[in-house]
Amino acid sequence: MTTHLLQQEFGDVLAHIEFFGPYEEEDLDVIVWLHEEPTDMDDRYLRVFRGLRKENLDVPMAFKTAVEKEGV
């Protein structure tokens, strides 16, 4: 579900998805690597968040750009 929603909303800029967890009350944690941050980032994230909440999933996400990953 999480992968599907992220691909649907961020597919044009999606570089990689890393999953961790689950931890405590969270279903899992996600780091979403993007090639670049889209101008409508907030709207896209909100649609993913709402889709997950609709399924009763608690999935904290961090969004980073692939440039950060290359520099590490």
Side-chain angles (χ1 to χ4, degrees), residues 32-48:
V32 182
W33 292 96
L34 304 173
H35 292 292
E36 61 186 32
E37 186 174 314
T39 56
D40 59 346
M41 177 74 177
D42 292 339
D43 294 333
R44 292 182 191 208
Y45 170 72
L46 190 56
R47 288 190 293 267
V48 171

Side-chain angles (χ1 to χ4, degrees), residues 1-71:
M1 170 61 90
T2 303
T3 301
H4 173 75
L5 288 171
L6 287 169
Q7 288 174 336
Q8 182 178 329
E9 292 298 331
F10 292 97
D12 60 328
V13 293
L14 187 62
H16 180 68
I17 304 171
E18 293 180 39
F19 294 96
F20 305 93
Y23 301 109
E24 297 177 9
E25 300 296 318
E26 301 167 357
D27 292 301
L28 52 104
D29 289 15
V30 180
I31 297 177
V32 182
W33 292 96
L34 304 173
H35 292 292
E36 61 186 32
E37 186 174 314
T39 56
D40 59 346
M41 177 74 177
D42 292 339
D43 294 333
R44 292 182 191 208
Y45 170 72
L46 190 56
R47 288 190 293 267
V48 171
F49 176 80
R50 286 180 177 160
L52 292 170
R53 294 306 292 169
K54 189 177 186 180
E55 297 297 321
N56 234 6
L57 296 172
D58 181 21
V59 182
M61 292 182 216
F63 290 86
K64 299 185 178 191
T65 61
V67 174
E68 292 176 47
K69 189 173 185 176
E70 292 170 4

